[in-house]
Tab-separated table of all heavy atoms in Angstrom:
chain	number	residue	atom	x	y	z
A	431	ALA	N	116.840	0.319	-19.327
A	431	ALA	CA	115.923	1.147	-20.108
A	431	ALA	C	114.489	1.065	-19.581
A	431	ALA	O	113.579	1.656	-20.162
A	431	ALA	CB	115.967	0.716	-21.572
A	432	GLY	N	114.277	0.322	-18.492
A	432	GLY	CA	112.936	0.206	-17.922
A	432	GLY	C	112.087	-0.884	-18.537
A	432	GLY	O	110.870	-0.919	-18.308
A	433	VAL	N	112.703	-1.787	-19.306
A	433	VAL	CA	111.968	-2.868	-19.978
A	433	VAL	C	112.123	-4.168	-19.173
A	433	VAL	O	113.237	-4.548	-18.802
A	433	VAL	CB	112.508	-3.080	-21.408
A	433	VAL	CG1	111.824	-4.270	-22.076
A	433	VAL	CG2	112.316	-1.813	-22.219
A	434	ALA	N	111.015	-4.850	-18.911
A	434	ALA	CA	111.060	-6.145	-18.220
A	434	ALA	C	111.506	-7.222	-19.200
A	434	ALA	O	110.886	-7.411	-20.257
A	434	ALA	CB	109.695	-6.484	-17.651
A	435	ARG	N	112.592	-7.903	-18.866
A	435	ARG	CA	113.143	-8.952	-19.731
A	435	ARG	C	113.218	-10.274	-18.977
A	435	ARG	O	113.333	-10.309	-17.755
A	435	ARG	CB	114.546	-8.565	-20.218
A	435	ARG	CG	114.568	-7.371	-21.150
A	435	ARG	CD	115.978	-7.042	-21.593
A	435	ARG	NE	116.000	-5.934	-22.544
A	435	ARG	CZ	115.902	-6.082	-23.860
A	435	ARG	NH1	115.788	-7.301	-24.389
A	435	ARG	NH2	115.923	-5.036	-24.673
A	436	ARG	N	113.170	-11.355	-19.744
A	436	ARG	CA	113.321	-12.676	-19.167
A	436	ARG	C	114.759	-12.866	-18.701
A	436	ARG	O	115.703	-12.479	-19.396
A	436	ARG	CB	112.954	-13.735	-20.205
A	436	ARG	CG	112.748	-15.131	-19.623
A	436	ARG	CD	111.966	-16.006	-20.585
A	436	ARG	NE	112.697	-16.229	-21.830
A	436	ARG	CZ	113.263	-17.389	-22.165
A	436	ARG	NH1	113.182	-18.432	-21.364
A	436	ARG	NH2	113.888	-17.518	-23.315
A	437	VAL	N	114.933	-13.445	-17.512
A	437	VAL	CA	116.268	-13.720	-16.991
A	437	VAL	C	116.711	-15.094	-17.476
A	437	VAL	O	115.994	-16.086	-17.330
A	437	VAL	CB	116.274	-13.674	-15.453
A	437	VAL	CG1	117.665	-14.037	-14.912
A	437	VAL	CG2	115.853	-12.292	-14.950
A	438	LEU	N	117.891	-15.139	-18.063
A	438	LEU	CA	118.489	-16.390	-18.520
A	438	LEU	C	119.569	-16.804	-17.531
A	438	LEU	O	120.196	-15.970	-16.888
A	438	LEU	CB	119.094	-16.223	-19.906
A	438	LEU	CG	118.164	-15.646	-20.983
A	438	LEU	CD1	118.897	-15.504	-22.305
A	438	LEU	CD2	116.908	-16.513	-21.143
A	439	VAL	N	119.782	-18.106	-17.417
A	439	VAL	CA	120.709	-18.615	-16.411
A	439	VAL	C	121.543	-19.753	-16.987
A	439	VAL	O	121.084	-20.502	-17.858
A	439	VAL	CB	119.942	-19.085	-15.155
A	439	VAL	CG1	119.018	-20.254	-15.470
A	439	VAL	CG2	120.887	-19.442	-14.017
A	440	ARG	N	122.788	-19.858	-16.513
A	440	ARG	CA	123.638	-20.991	-16.823
A	440	ARG	C	123.561	-22.005	-15.686
A	440	ARG	O	123.084	-21.709	-14.588
A	440	ARG	CB	125.098	-20.536	-16.981
A	440	ARG	CG	125.482	-20.140	-18.361
A	440	ARG	CD	126.974	-19.933	-18.525
A	440	ARG	NE	127.710	-19.576	-17.315
A	440	ARG	CZ	128.768	-18.772	-17.317
A	440	ARG	NH1	129.185	-18.226	-18.438
A	440	ARG	NH2	129.404	-18.499	-16.189
A	441	ARG	N	124.095	-23.183	-15.934
A	441	ARG	CA	124.066	-24.252	-14.936
A	441	ARG	C	124.764	-23.834	-13.640
A	441	ARG	O	124.371	-24.254	-12.538
A	441	ARG	CB	124.734	-25.504	-15.523
A	441	ARG	CG	124.726	-26.721	-14.610
A	441	ARG	CD	125.357	-27.916	-15.319
A	441	ARG	NE	125.585	-29.018	-14.392
A	441	ARG	CZ	124.685	-29.901	-14.029
A	441	ARG	NH1	123.472	-29.828	-14.523
A	441	ARG	NH2	124.997	-30.877	-13.186
A	442	ASP	N	125.768	-22.982	-13.717
A	442	ASP	CA	126.493	-22.561	-12.520
A	442	ASP	C	125.817	-21.423	-11.773
A	442	ASP	O	126.329	-20.943	-10.760
A	442	ASP	CB	127.931	-22.175	-12.869
A	442	ASP	CG	128.003	-20.972	-13.822
A	442	ASP	OD1	126.947	-20.410	-14.177
A	442	ASP	OD2	129.132	-20.605	-14.228
A	443	GLY	N	124.660	-20.972	-12.261
A	443	GLY	CA	123.916	-19.912	-11.596
A	443	GLY	C	124.172	-18.516	-12.134
A	443	GLY	O	123.498	-17.567	-11.718
A	444	ALA	N	125.132	-18.353	-13.050
A	444	ALA	CA	125.353	-17.044	-13.665
A	444	ALA	C	124.120	-16.643	-14.471
A	444	ALA	O	123.476	-17.482	-15.101
A	444	ALA	CB	126.584	-17.091	-14.570
A	445	GLU	N	123.782	-15.350	-14.456
A	445	GLU	CA	122.574	-14.851	-15.103
A	445	GLU	C	122.903	-13.775	-16.129
A	445	GLU	O	123.934	-13.111	-16.048
A	445	GLU	CB	121.607	-14.260	-14.070
A	445	GLU	CG	120.980	-15.278	-13.129
A	445	GLU	CD	120.021	-14.612	-12.160
A	445	GLU	OE1	120.211	-13.404	-11.877
A	445	GLU	OE2	119.081	-15.279	-11.695
A	446	ARG	N	121.992	-13.608	-17.073
A	446	ARG	CA	122.007	-12.489	-18.005
A	446	ARG	C	120.569	-12.225	-18.412
A	446	ARG	O	119.678	-13.047	-18.162
A	446	ARG	CB	122.878	-12.799	-19.227
A	446	ARG	CG	122.365	-13.967	-20.055
A	446	ARG	CD	123.273	-14.307	-21.212
A	446	ARG	NE	123.269	-13.253	-22.212
A	446	ARG	CZ	124.042	-13.270	-23.301
A	446	ARG	NH1	124.873	-14.277	-23.507
A	446	ARG	NH2	123.985	-12.299	-24.179
A	447	LEU	N	120.324	-11.092	-19.048
A	447	LEU	CA	118.981	-10.744	-19.483
A	447	LEU	C	118.775	-11.165	-20.932
A	447	LEU	O	119.663	-11.009	-21.768
A	447	LEU	CB	118.732	-9.242	-19.331
A	447	LEU	CG	118.802	-8.709	-17.891
A	447	LEU	CD1	118.438	-7.230	-17.858
A	447	LEU	CD2	117.899	-9.506	-16.948
A	448	GLY	N	117.589	-11.676	-21.192
A	448	GLY	CA	117.225	-12.107	-22.529
A	448	GLY	C	116.183	-11.200	-23.153
A	448	GLY	O	116.211	-9.980	-22.978
A	449	GLU	N	115.239	-11.795	-23.856
A	449	GLU	CA	114.264	-11.035	-24.623
A	449	GLU	C	113.244	-10.365	-23.711
A	449	GLU	O	113.001	-10.802	-22.589
A	449	GLU	CB	113.545	-11.954	-25.610
A	449	GLU	CG	112.613	-12.969	-24.978
A	449	GLU	CD	113.319	-14.214	-24.474
A	449	GLU	OE1	114.570	-14.257	-24.480
A	449	GLU	OE2	112.595	-15.144	-24.048
A	450	PRO	N	112.615	-9.293	-24.183
A	450	PRO	CA	111.562	-8.644	-23.396
A	450	PRO	C	110.388	-9.586	-23.147
A	450	PRO	O	110.053	-10.421	-23.983
A	450	PRO	CB	111.142	-7.451	-24.264
A	450	PRO	CG	112.301	-7.207	-25.173
A	450	PRO	CD	112.902	-8.562	-25.439
A	451	VAL	N	109.769	-9.441	-21.975
A	451	VAL	CA	108.573	-10.229	-21.670
A	451	VAL	C	107.396	-9.700	-22.466
A	451	VAL	O	106.515	-10.465	-22.869
A	451	VAL	CB	108.280	-10.188	-20.161
A	451	VAL	CG1	106.964	-10.905	-19.852
A	451	VAL	CG2	109.429	-10.818	-19.382
A	452	ALA	N	107.339	-8.394	-22.701
A	452	ALA	CA	106.243	-7.802	-23.474
A	452	ALA	C	106.127	-8.521	-24.808
A	452	ALA	O	107.111	-8.750	-25.506
A	452	ALA	CB	106.502	-6.318	-23.694
A	453	GLY	N	104.910	-8.897	-25.156
A	453	GLY	CA	104.693	-9.626	-26.393
A	453	GLY	C	104.859	-11.122	-26.229
A	453	GLY	O	104.757	-11.874	-27.198
A	454	ALA	N	105.103	-11.578	-24.983
A	454	ALA	CA	105.299	-13.013	-24.733
A	454	ALA	C	103.985	-13.725	-24.420
A	454	ALA	O	103.976	-14.771	-23.796
A	454	ALA	CB	106.285	-13.204	-23.580
A	455	GLY	N	102.872	-13.135	-24.833
A	455	GLY	CA	101.585	-13.798	-24.700
A	455	GLY	C	101.130	-13.938	-23.269
A	455	GLY	O	101.056	-12.961	-22.524
A	456	ALA	N	100.840	-15.164	-22.842
A	456	ALA	CA	100.240	-15.420	-21.539
A	456	ALA	C	101.142	-14.967	-20.395
A	456	ALA	O	100.660	-14.480	-19.368
A	456	ALA	CB	99.904	-16.907	-21.404
A	457	ASP	N	102.461	-15.112	-20.549
A	457	ASP	CA	103.378	-14.660	-19.504
A	457	ASP	C	103.262	-13.157	-19.297
A	457	ASP	O	103.223	-12.671	-18.159
A	457	ASP	CB	104.822	-15.015	-19.868
A	457	ASP	CG	105.181	-16.456	-19.547
A	457	ASP	OD1	104.317	-17.173	-18.986
A	457	ASP	OD2	106.305	-16.871	-19.855
A	458	ALA	N	103.230	-12.412	-20.395
A	458	ALA	CA	103.114	-10.959	-20.300
A	458	ALA	C	101.780	-10.563	-19.672
A	458	ALA	O	101.716	-9.638	-18.845
A	458	ALA	CB	103.256	-10.330	-21.681
A	459	GLU	N	100.719	-11.272	-20.031
A	459	GLU	CA	99.399	-10.976	-19.462
A	459	GLU	C	99.380	-11.253	-17.973
A	459	GLU	O	98.819	-10.487	-17.185
A	459	GLU	CB	98.335	-11.808	-20.185
A	459	GLU	CG	98.117	-11.408	-21.634
A	459	GLU	CD	97.171	-12.351	-22.354
A	459	GLU	OE1	96.570	-13.225	-21.682
A	459	GLU	OE2	97.032	-12.229	-23.583
A	460	TRP	N	99.999	-12.375	-17.568
A	460	TRP	CA	100.031	-12.708	-16.138
A	460	TRP	C	100.796	-11.641	-15.370
A	460	TRP	O	100.351	-11.188	-14.304
A	460	TRP	CB	100.687	-14.074	-15.924
A	460	TRP	CG	100.555	-14.583	-14.510
A	460	TRP	CD1	99.601	-15.417	-14.024
A	460	TRP	CD2	101.397	-14.254	-13.392
A	460	TRP	NE1	99.791	-15.639	-12.681
A	460	TRP	CE2	100.880	-14.933	-12.267
A	460	TRP	CE3	102.534	-13.452	-13.239
A	460	TRP	CZ2	101.463	-14.842	-11.000
A	460	TRP	CZ3	103.107	-13.344	-11.971
A	460	TRP	CH2	102.576	-14.034	-10.877
A	461	LEU	N	101.949	-11.250	-15.889
A	461	LEU	CA	102.774	-10.253	-15.215
A	461	LEU	C	102.017	-8.937	-15.079
A	461	LEU	O	102.037	-8.300	-14.015
A	461	LEU	CB	104.073	-10.053	-15.990
A	461	LEU	CG	105.248	-9.408	-15.250
A	461	LEU	CD1	105.686	-10.271	-14.085
A	461	LEU	CD2	106.412	-9.173	-16.202
A	462	ALA	N	101.337	-8.530	-16.121
A	462	ALA	CA	100.607	-7.266	-16.084
A	462	ALA	C	99.468	-7.310	-15.065
A	462	ALA	O	99.191	-6.312	-14.390
A	462	ALA	CB	100.062	-6.945	-17.469
A	463	ARG	N	98.831	-8.461	-14.930
A	463	ARG	CA	97.682	-8.559	-14.021
A	463	ARG	C	98.110	-8.771	-12.574
A	463	ARG	O	97.581	-8.144	-11.658
A	463	ARG	CB	96.765	-9.701	-14.458
A	463	ARG	CG	95.576	-9.884	-13.518
A	463	ARG	CD	94.663	-11.008	-13.946
A	463	ARG	NE	93.573	-11.159	-12.989
A	463	ARG	CZ	92.663	-12.137	-13.041
A	463	ARG	NH1	92.709	-13.038	-14.004
A	463	ARG	NH2	91.707	-12.203	-12.118
A	464	TRP	N	99.072	-9.686	-12.350
A	464	TRP	CA	99.343	-10.151	-10.998
A	464	TRP	C	100.601	-9.572	-10.374
A	464	TRP	O	100.734	-9.535	-9.154
A	464	TRP	CB	99.418	-11.678	-10.976
A	464	TRP	CG	98.101	-12.325	-11.254
A	464	TRP	CD1	97.728	-12.990	-12.384
A	464	TRP	CD2	96.968	-12.359	-10.381
A	464	TRP	NE1	96.440	-13.441	-12.274
A	464	TRP	CE2	95.945	-13.064	-11.055
A	464	TRP	CE3	96.709	-11.861	-9.105
A	464	TRP	CZ2	94.693	-13.296	-10.479
A	464	TRP	CZ3	95.461	-12.093	-8.531
A	464	TRP	CH2	94.479	-12.795	-9.221
A	465	TRP	N	101.569	-9.156	-11.186
A	465	TRP	CA	102.817	-8.651	-10.612
A	465	TRP	C	103.396	-7.597	-11.545
A	465	TRP	O	104.488	-7.757	-12.100
A	465	TRP	CB	103.808	-9.798	-10.426
A	465	TRP	CG	104.939	-9.534	-9.466
A	465	TRP	CD1	105.485	-8.333	-9.145
A	465	TRP	CD2	105.688	-10.524	-8.745
A	465	TRP	NE1	106.525	-8.492	-8.261
A	465	TRP	CE2	106.672	-9.825	-7.987
A	465	TRP	CE3	105.643	-11.911	-8.668
A	465	TRP	CZ2	107.583	-10.500	-7.164
A	465	TRP	CZ3	106.557	-12.564	-7.851
A	465	TRP	CH2	107.502	-11.870	-7.110
A	466	PRO	N	102.706	-6.484	-11.748
A	466	PRO	CA	103.207	-5.448	-12.664
A	466	PRO	C	104.493	-4.840	-12.130
A	466	PRO	O	104.593	-4.492	-10.948
A	466	PRO	CB	102.069	-4.428	-12.702
A	466	PRO	CG	101.274	-4.679	-11.461
A	466	PRO	CD	101.402	-6.135	-11.157
A	467	LEU	N	105.480	-4.727	-12.983
A	467	LEU	CA	106.787	-4.205	-12.596
A	467	LEU	C	106.915	-2.739	-12.988
A	467	LEU	O	106.768	-2.395	-14.162
A	467	LEU	CB	107.899	-5.011	-13.276
A	467	LEU	CG	108.180	-6.404	-12.697
A	467	LEU	CD1	109.150	-7.164	-13.607
A	467	LEU	CD2	108.748	-6.310	-11.287
A	468	PRO	N	107.213	-1.855	-12.032
A	468	PRO	CA	107.545	-0.474	-12.402
A	468	PRO	C	108.810	-0.464	-13.259
A	468	PRO	O	109.514	-1.468	-13.373
A	468	PRO	CB	107.775	0.202	-11.040
A	468	PRO	CG	107.085	-0.672	-10.042
A	468	PRO	CD	107.199	-2.076	-10.581
A	469	SER	N	109.131	0.680	-13.823
A	469	SER	CA	110.252	0.777	-14.766
A	469	SER	C	111.599	0.959	-14.077
A	469	SER	O	112.581	1.309	-14.727
A	469	SER	CB	110.005	1.922	-15.751
A	469	SER	OG	109.840	3.145	-15.048
A	470	GLU	N	111.685	0.719	-12.789
A	470	GLU	CA	112.943	0.885	-12.063
A	470	GLU	C	113.888	-0.282	-12.341
A	470	GLU	O	113.543	-1.447	-12.095
A	470	GLU	CB	112.662	0.982	-10.559
A	470	GLU	CG	113.908	1.184	-9.723
A	470	GLU	CD	113.586	1.247	-8.235
A	470	GLU	OE1	112.412	1.501	-7.895
A	470	GLU	OE2	114.497	1.030	-7.427
A	471	PRO	N	115.083	-0.035	-12.848
A	471	PRO	CA	116.019	-1.123	-13.165
A	471	PRO	C	116.330	-1.999	-11.948
A	471	PRO	O	116.469	-1.507	-10.829
A	471	PRO	CB	117.281	-0.376	-13.635
A	471	PRO	CG	116.772	0.935	-14.135
A	471	PRO	CD	115.624	1.283	-13.230
A	472	GLY	N	116.413	-3.296	-12.195
A	472	GLY	CA	116.762	-4.246	-11.147
A	472	GLY	C	115.588	-4.889	-10.454
A	472	GLY	O	115.759	-5.907	-9.767
A	473	LEU	N	114.381	-4.338	-10.586
A	473	LEU	CA	113.210	-4.966	-9.982
A	473	LEU	C	112.942	-6.298	-10.674
A	473	LEU	O	113.109	-6.438	-11.887
A	473	LEU	CB	111.995	-4.055	-10.087
A	473	LEU	CG	112.061	-2.734	-9.316
A	473	LEU	CD1	110.761	-1.972	-9.477
A	473	LEU	CD2	112.365	-2.975	-7.840
A	474	ARG	N	112.490	-7.274	-9.888
A	474	ARG	CA	112.302	-8.625	-10.421
A	474	ARG	C	110.942	-9.177	-10.040
A	474	ARG	O	110.315	-8.746	-9.075
A	474	ARG	CB	113.402	-9.571	-9.903
A	474	ARG	CG	114.767	-9.310	-10.503
A	474	ARG	CD	115.854	-10.131	-9.821
A	474	ARG	NE	115.771	-11.554	-10.130
A	474	ARG	CZ	116.775	-12.277	-10.629
A	474	ARG	NH1	117.942	-11.707	-10.909
A	474	ARG	NH2	116.639	-13.550	-10.851
A	475	ALA	N	110.505	-10.161	-10.811
A	475	ALA	CA	109.261	-10.872	-10.531
A	475	ALA	C	109.399	-12.309	-11.004
A	475	ALA	O	110.148	-12.596	-11.941
A	475	ALA	CB	108.074	-10.196	-11.239
A	476	GLU	N	108.693	-13.202	-10.342
A	476	GLU	CA	108.570	-14.588	-10.798
A	476	GLU	C	107.192	-14.757	-11.428
A	476	GLU	O	106.174	-14.442	-10.793
A	476	GLU	CB	108.754	-15.550	-9.623
A	476	GLU	CG	110.185	-15.603	-9.101
A	476	GLU	CD	110.369	-15.013	-7.706
A	476	GLU	OE1	109.375	-14.909	-6.968
A	476	GLU	OE2	111.519	-14.645	-7.367
A	477	ILE	N	107.158	-15.218	-12.659
A	477	ILE	CA	105.905	-15.286	-13.423
A	477	ILE	C	105.202	-16.589	-13.079
A	477	ILE	O	105.564	-17.670	-13.546
A	477	ILE	CB	106.185	-15.174	-14.934
A	477	ILE	CG1	106.933	-13.868	-15.231
A	477	ILE	CG2	104.877	-15.235	-15.724
A	477	ILE	CD1	107.386	-13.726	-16.676
A	478	GLY	N	104.161	-16.494	-12.257
A	478	GLY	CA	103.566	-17.674	-11.631
A	478	GLY	C	102.535	-18.425	-12.442
A	478	GLY	O	101.852	-19.297	-11.891
A	479	LEU	N	102.409	-18.145	-13.734
A	479	LEU	CA	101.392	-18.815	-14.541
A	479	LEU	C	101.483	-20.342	-14.471
A	479	LEU	O	100.438	-21.011	-14.361
A	479	LEU	CB	101.490	-18.334	-15.986
A	479	LEU	CG	100.493	-18.950	-16.974
A	479	LEU	CD1	99.051	-18.653	-16.565
A	479	LEU	CD2	100.770	-18.432	-18.398
A	480	PRO	N	102.674	-20.976	-14.536
A	480	PRO	CA	102.715	-22.441	-14.447
A	480	PRO	C	102.148	-22.975	-13.136
A	480	PRO	O	101.589	-24.078	-13.097
A	480	PRO	CB	104.206	-22.760	-14.577
A	480	PRO	CG	104.783	-21.591	-15.307
A	480	PRO	CD	104.010	-20.406	-14.819
A	481	ARG	N	102.268	-22.209	-12.068
A	481	ARG	CA	101.706	-22.636	-10.786
A	481	ARG	C	100.190	-22.536	-10.785
A	481	ARG	O	99.508	-23.416	-10.250
A	481	ARG	CB	102.309	-21.790	-9.663
A	481	ARG	CG	103.795	-22.070	-9.496
A	481	ARG	CD	104.482	-21.047	-8.644
A	481	ARG	NE	105.866	-21.453	-8.399
A	481	ARG	CZ	106.719	-20.760	-7.680
A	481	ARG	NH1	106.347	-19.603	-7.145
A	481	ARG	NH2	107.945	-21.203	-7.503
A	482	ASP	N	99.664	-21.463	-11.379
A	482	ASP	CA	98.212	-21.355	-11.511
A	482	ASP	C	97.658	-22.562	-12.261
A	482	ASP	O	96.644	-23.158	-11.865
A	482	ASP	CB	97.835	-20.084	-12.278
A	482	ASP	CG	98.299	-18.808	-11.604
A	482	ASP	OD1	98.896	-18.894	-10.511
A	482	ASP	OD2	98.079	-17.730	-12.180
A	483	THR	N	98.334	-22.925	-13.338
A	483	THR	CA	97.890	-24.050	-14.169
A	483	THR	C	98.013	-25.365	-13.415
A	483	THR	O	97.100	-26.205	-13.459
A	483	THR	CB	98.723	-24.100	-15.462
A	483	THR	OG1	98.606	-22.846	-16.151
A	483	THR	CG2	98.266	-25.217	-16.370
A	484	ALA	N	99.133	-25.558	-12.719
A	484	ALA	CA	99.337	-26.799	-11.966
A	484	ALA	C	98.312	-26.948	-10.860
A	484	ALA	O	97.774	-28.045	-10.640
A	484	ALA	CB	100.752	-26.825	-11.390
Side-chain angles (χ1 to χ4, degrees):
V433 176
R435 293 180 177 271
R436 194 162 64 108
V437 177
L438 307 179
V439 63
R440 270 190 334 214
R441 182 177 170 83
D442 63 2
E445 292 181 334
R446 63 183 292 176
L447 298 184
E449 69 278 7
V451 175
D457 279 357
E459 292 174 8
W460 189 95
L461 199 63
R463 178 180 178 185
W464 292 108
W465 199 333
L467 285 171
S469 58
E470 181 181 341
L473 295 182
R474 289 172 71 126
E476 290 112 21
I477 303 174
L479 180 60
R481 293 166 174 180
D482 300 358
T483 303

